[in-house]
């Protein structure tokens, strides 16, 4: 009986741990800009000839769920989430009431419209001096740092990275539609657009620690927790992405066999080379880093995203 109770207790503790980890992962997701991006990604994945209505309705439903989830958790509703609801609400209404000709136009140009809308949103948030990443960063940053120059500068720079990522997608998609007349072109409709998005995500993960370290060096308040990191880490994803392009090209028959195999081989080789190069650069930066003071003063500008 004791063994059964112990096993039951152990199973219960394991379930509780898994539940706690799942809740933590969900919380981390909702506290990041990636949550606000998810309806746009869903729209891009689902949209296509004859599927605009389903894509718009699904993206609108997801945007509503995100707002409800944010409200239920007691955290602030973000500008991006509000923009999601408004934009996809309009798209859903168009899907219901627009004429067949308008729907056909949206099926072709809807992707470019969403990319342009995102560029306008991100750029607009900078122009009104409320970069949209700021609201997400405040969820994980003590309030005393919210007005610090470093915290604000980090979020302005990261938001500019999203402007670039969205802009790449908009230009690529427009070229595919207007010049190639192929909304689902392997390169302009998918690879380049996804690459722009991955760049923005990678930069968002990389830049806060990098900027904080550089500020610590300039301010003379380095601590043992501050580790020098090479800017090469912004592009850690590129070799793996090249490998993925090769595999995706072969699976979808978008690339001939030779081109697909070449990309796969190049990706595999580049992964190992890039890993060694970035490790060597990190080591070199660590060796040339200024000495840490024995009792560093508290950083006046310090903040993390």
């Amino acid at each position: 009986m004791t063994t059964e109770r112990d096993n039951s207790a152990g199973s219960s503790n394991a379930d509780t741990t898994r539940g706690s980890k799942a809740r933590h992962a969900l919380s981390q997701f909702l506290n990041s800009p990636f949550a606000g991006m998810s309806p746009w990604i869903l729209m891009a994945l689902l949209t296509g000839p004859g599927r605009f209505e389903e894509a718009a309705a699904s993206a609108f439903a997801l945007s509503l769920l995100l707002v409800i989830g944010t409200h239920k958790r007691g955290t602030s509703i973000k500008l991006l989430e509000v923009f999601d609801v408004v934009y996809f609400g309009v798209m859903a209404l168009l899907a219901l009431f627009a004429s067949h000709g308008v729907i056909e136009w949206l099926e072709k140009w809807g992707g470019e419209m969403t990319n342009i809308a995102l560029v306008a949103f991100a750029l607009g948030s900078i122009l009104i001096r409320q970069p949209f990443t700021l609201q997400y960063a405040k969820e994980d940053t003590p309030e005393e740092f919210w007005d610090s120059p470093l915290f604000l500068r980090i979020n302005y720079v990261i938001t500019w990275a999203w402007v670039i990522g969205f802009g790449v997608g908009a230009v690529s998609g427009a070229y595919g539609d207007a010049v190639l007349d192929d909304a689902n072109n392997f390169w302009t409709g998918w690879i380049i657009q996804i690459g722009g998005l991955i760049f923005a995500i990678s930069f968002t993960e990389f830049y806060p620690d990098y900027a904080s370290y550089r500020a610590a060096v300039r301010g003379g308040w380095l601590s043992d927790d501050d580790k020098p990191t090479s800017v090469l880490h912004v592009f850690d994803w590129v070799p793996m992405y090249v490998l993925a392009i090769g595999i995706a090209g072969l699976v979808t028959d978008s690339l001939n066999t030779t081109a697909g195999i070449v990309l796969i081989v190049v990706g595999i080789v580049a992964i190992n080379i890039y890993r060694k190069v970035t490790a060597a650069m990190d080591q070199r930066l660590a060796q040339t880093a200024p000495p840490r003071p024995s009792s560093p003063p508290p950083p006046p500008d310090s903040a993390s995203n």
Side-chain angles (χ1 to χ4, degrees):
M1 292 293 292
T2 302
T3 302
E4 290 179 359
R5 285 196 297 270
D6 290 343
N7 289 339
S8 177
S11 176
S12 177
N13 289 336
D15 291 341
T16 301
T17 301
R18 284 193 292 268
S20 177
K21 289 181 178 179
R23 286 191 295 272
H24 177 72
L26 178 60
S27 178
Q28 290 293 103
F29 172 73
L30 292 174
N31 285 344
S32 72
F34 315 135
M37 296 301 157
S38 56
W40 304 85
I41 296 172
L42 182 63
M43 180 80 174
L45 291 174
L46 295 181
T47 194
R51 299 196 305 271
F52 178 78
E53 294 89 340
E54 293 84 349
S58 299
F60 179 58
L62 180 56
S63 63
L64 281 178
L65 284 175
L66 289 173
V67 169
I68 293 171
T70 299
H71 176 71
K72 290 287 188 182
R73 293 170 60 248
T75 54
S76 62
I77 295 175
K78 314 299 188 298
L79 278 175
L80 180 56
E81 295 169 349
V82 174
F83 184 66
D84 289 351
V85 172
V86 173
Y87 182 85
F88 291 115
V90 171
M91 291 297 105
L93 288 173
L94 287 173
L96 286 174
F97 300 111
S99 66
H100 180 69
V102 172
I103 296 297
E104 284 189 337
W105 187 89
L106 288 170
E107 287 175 350
K108 179 176 181 178
W109 296 101
E112 281 59 71
M113 286 180 59
T114 57
N115 283 324
I116 293 170
L118 283 170
V119 171
F121 170 78
L123 191 56
S125 72
I126 292 174
L127 293 177
I128 65 173
R129 300 189 176 185
Q130 288 294 323
F132 79 92
T133 62
L134 199 61
Q135 291 179 302
Y136 295 97
K138 287 180 178 179
E139 299 288 352
D140 298 318
T141 303
E143 188 172 354
E144 60 264 29
F145 296 126
W146 289 0
D147 294 324
S148 75
L150 176 60
F151 180 72
L152 295 173
R153 183 168 67 251
I154 285 173
N155 282 279
Y156 272 106
V157 173
I158 289 176
T159 303
W160 273 112
W162 282 100
V163 171
I164 293 171
F166 297 147
V168 167
V171 172
S172 175
Y175 182 84
D177 284 346
V179 179
L180 302 180
D181 194 26
D182 182 6
N184 286 318
N185 180 272
F186 180 68
W187 293 101
T188 61
W190 293 98
I191 299 305
I192 297 175
Q193 294 195 45
I194 293 173
L197 184 62
I198 296 176
F199 162 76
I201 293 172
S202 176
F203 192 88
T204 299
E205 294 294 324
F206 163 81
Y207 188 70
D209 289 340
Y210 175 79
S212 297
Y213 175 79
R214 299 305 304 171
V217 170
R218 291 192 299 270
W221 35 267
L222 275 175
S223 70
D224 291 336
D225 293 330
D226 294 312
K227 305 296 181 184
T229 302
S230 166
V231 294
L232 293 176
H233 285 285
V234 176
F235 302 101
D236 277 345
W237 57 275
V238 173
M240 182 63 71
Y241 194 52
V242 171
L243 172 62
I245 292 171
I247 295 172
L250 290 178
V251 170
T252 61
D253 290 328
S254 299
L255 298 174
N256 61 52
T257 303
T258 301
I261 292 175
V262 168
L263 286 174
I264 290 172
V265 172
V266 169
I268 293 173
V269 173
I271 288 171
N272 293 322
I273 293 176
Y274 202 86
R275 186 178 298 143
K276 292 178 181 178
V277 170
T278 51
M281 185 62 71
D282 288 344
Q283 185 177 10
R284 180 181 177 184
L285 289 173
Q287 292 172 348
T288 58
R292 271 71 166 169
S294 56
S295 299
D301 287 351
S302 164
S304 61
N305 193 30

